[in-house]
């Protein structure tokens, strides 16, 4: 289910000079903000939770997920180079699964690791806030990567749709419409963070059992359907 050659090509595409600069910009901004907040307010658990929840998990993680998830396959479909890959004797689910693993790894490195560092800067992991949000970022990275990889296989405007979901649906509607929060990767990952921190310092509108089930279902379903779409793309090209 994992092909090293596909993985190497995907890593090379995602970590090219231009895209790497974009991927590194938000983590760097998070670290700068964390240092400034720590200097201004000192070590405060609630402030740390607000910064990590409001910027790291709500903004940085989904945007990096969009870049990594759509970038793992979208550009190849757009420029037609995916035809070369599809001409190889590789199963379509293997291609999708390999690209998903790469997208997850890149998203985790550029989101979860900076979240941990920022949390340690903000309050030294007081009340397990840094660890809780790091775990939430890790969990969210998996679901976001699967969702946005699927978008990359079904639309040439995957980045736009991904940003609409991440910044409009989750950030805007999620803050205004309570029902929308149930269909939010951010809320599902917050449920995991709430379990880790063990207090109301971090809260979620979704219970942990439901959040866990939804994270698994969305990840598996998105990966499966992306494989089907790639198979359909092959058939269309042959016709």
């Amino acid at each position: 289910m994992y092909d090293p050659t596909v993985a190497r090509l995907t890593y090379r595409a995602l970590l090219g000079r231009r895209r790497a600069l974009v991927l590194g910009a938000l983590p760097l901004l998070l670290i700068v903000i964390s240092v400034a907040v720590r200097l201004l307010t000192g070590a405060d658990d609630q402030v740390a939770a607000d910064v990590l929840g409001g910027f790291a998990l709500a903004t940085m993680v989904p945007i990096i997920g969009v870049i990594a998830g759509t970038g793992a396959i979208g550009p190849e479909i757009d420029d037609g180079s995916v035809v070369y890959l599809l001409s190889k004797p590789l199963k379509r689910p293997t291609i999708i699964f390999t690209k998903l693993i790469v997208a997850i790894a890149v998203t985790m490195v550029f989101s979860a690791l900076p979240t941990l560092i920022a949390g340690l800067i903000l309050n030294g992991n007081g009340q397990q806030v840094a660890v809780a949000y790091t775990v939430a970022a890790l969990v969210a990275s998996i679901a976001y990567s699967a969702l946005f990889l699927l978008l990359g296989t079904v639309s040439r405007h995957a980045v736009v749709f991904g940003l609409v979901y991440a910044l409009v649906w989750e950030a805007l509607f999620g803050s205004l419409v309570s029902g929308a929060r149930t269909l939010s990767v951010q809320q599902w990952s917050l449920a995991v963070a709430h379990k880790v921190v063990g207090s109301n310092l971090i809260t979620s509108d979704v219970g942990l059992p439901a959040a866990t089930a939804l994270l698994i279902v969305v990840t598996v379903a998105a990966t499966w359907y992306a494989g089907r779409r790639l198979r359909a793309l092959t058939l269309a090209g042959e016709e």
Side-chain angles (χ1 to χ4, degrees), residues 38-55:
R38 177 61 185 266
L39 292 174
L40 292 173
T41 66
D44 186 291
D45 296 339
Q46 185 60 61
V47 171
D50 291 342
V51 172
L52 295 179
F55 183 80

Side-chain angles (χ1 to χ4, degrees), residues 200-222:
N200 289 329
L201 194 63
I202 302 175
T203 59
S204 173
D205 291 339
V206 184
L208 182 61
T212 303
L214 288 167
L215 284 165
I216 293 173
V217 168
V218 166
T219 302
V220 173

Side-chain angles (χ1 to χ4, degrees), residues 62 144 147-148 151 160-171 183-186 188:
Y144 281 132
L147 278 173
F148 299 137
L151 278 178
V160 175
F161 290 134
L163 290 175
V164 167
Y165 172 80
L167 300 180
V168 177
W169 177 265
E170 292 207 339
L183 300 177
S184 167
V185 174
Q186 179 187 341
W188 304 341

Side-chain angles (χ1 to χ4, degrees), residues 151-162:
L151 278 178
T153 65
V154 301
S155 173
R156 292 182 178 273
H157 307 289
V159 174
V160 175
F161 290 134

Side-chain angles (χ1 to χ4, degrees), residues 4-219:
T5 302
V6 174
R8 185 173 65 255
L9 293 173
T10 307
Y11 275 119
R12 187 180 300 171
L14 285 179
L15 299 178
R17 182 178 303 176
R18 185 178 303 175
R19 189 169 277 114
L21 289 175
V22 175
L23 286 169
L26 284 175
L28 179 60
L29 180 59
L30 173 64
I31 301 300
V32 172
I33 291 174
S34 300
V35 171
V37 170
R38 177 61 185 266
L39 292 174
L40 292 173
T41 66
D44 186 291
D45 296 339
Q46 185 60 61
V47 171
D50 291 342
V51 172
L52 295 179
F55 183 80
L57 193 62
T59 302
M60 182 184 73
V61 179
I63 289 179
I64 290 176
V66 169
I67 296 171
T70 60
I73 195 169
E76 291 177 303
I77 294 177
D78 291 342
D79 63 20
S81 61
V82 71
V83 175
Y84 171 79
L85 183 61
L86 296 176
S87 67
K88 301 300 179 182
L90 291 171
K91 294 181 178 180
R92 304 308 173 244
T94 297
I95 296 173
I96 289 296
F97 184 76
T98 301
K99 287 182 174 295
L100 175 62
I101 295 299
V102 173
I104 290 173
V106 171
T107 305
M108 285 182 172
V109 168
F110 283 91
S111 62
L113 184 58
T115 298
L116 177 61
I117 295 172
L120 294 175
I121 292 172
L122 286 164
N123 75 333
N125 195 37
Q127 295 195 54
Q128 297 293 307
V129 170
V131 170
Y133 274 107
T134 300
V135 172
L138 290 171
V139 170
S141 295
I142 298 173
Y144 281 132
S145 296
L147 278 173
F148 299 137
L149 179 66
L150 171 61
L151 278 178
T153 65
V154 301
S155 173
R156 292 182 178 273
H157 307 289
V159 174
V160 175
F161 290 134
L163 290 175
V164 167
Y165 172 80
L167 300 180
V168 177
W169 177 265
E170 292 207 339
L172 181 59
F173 284 97
S175 63
L176 299 176
V177 183
S178 58
R181 301 189 189 109
T182 305
L183 300 177
S184 167
V185 174
Q186 179 187 341
Q187 290 297 321
W188 304 341
S189 58
L190 281 173
V192 179
H194 172 72
K195 179 65 175 180
V196 174
V197 82
S199 71
N200 289 329
L201 194 63
I202 302 175
T203 59
S204 173
D205 291 339
V206 184
L208 182 61
T212 303
L214 288 167
L215 284 165
I216 293 173
V217 168
V218 166
T219 302

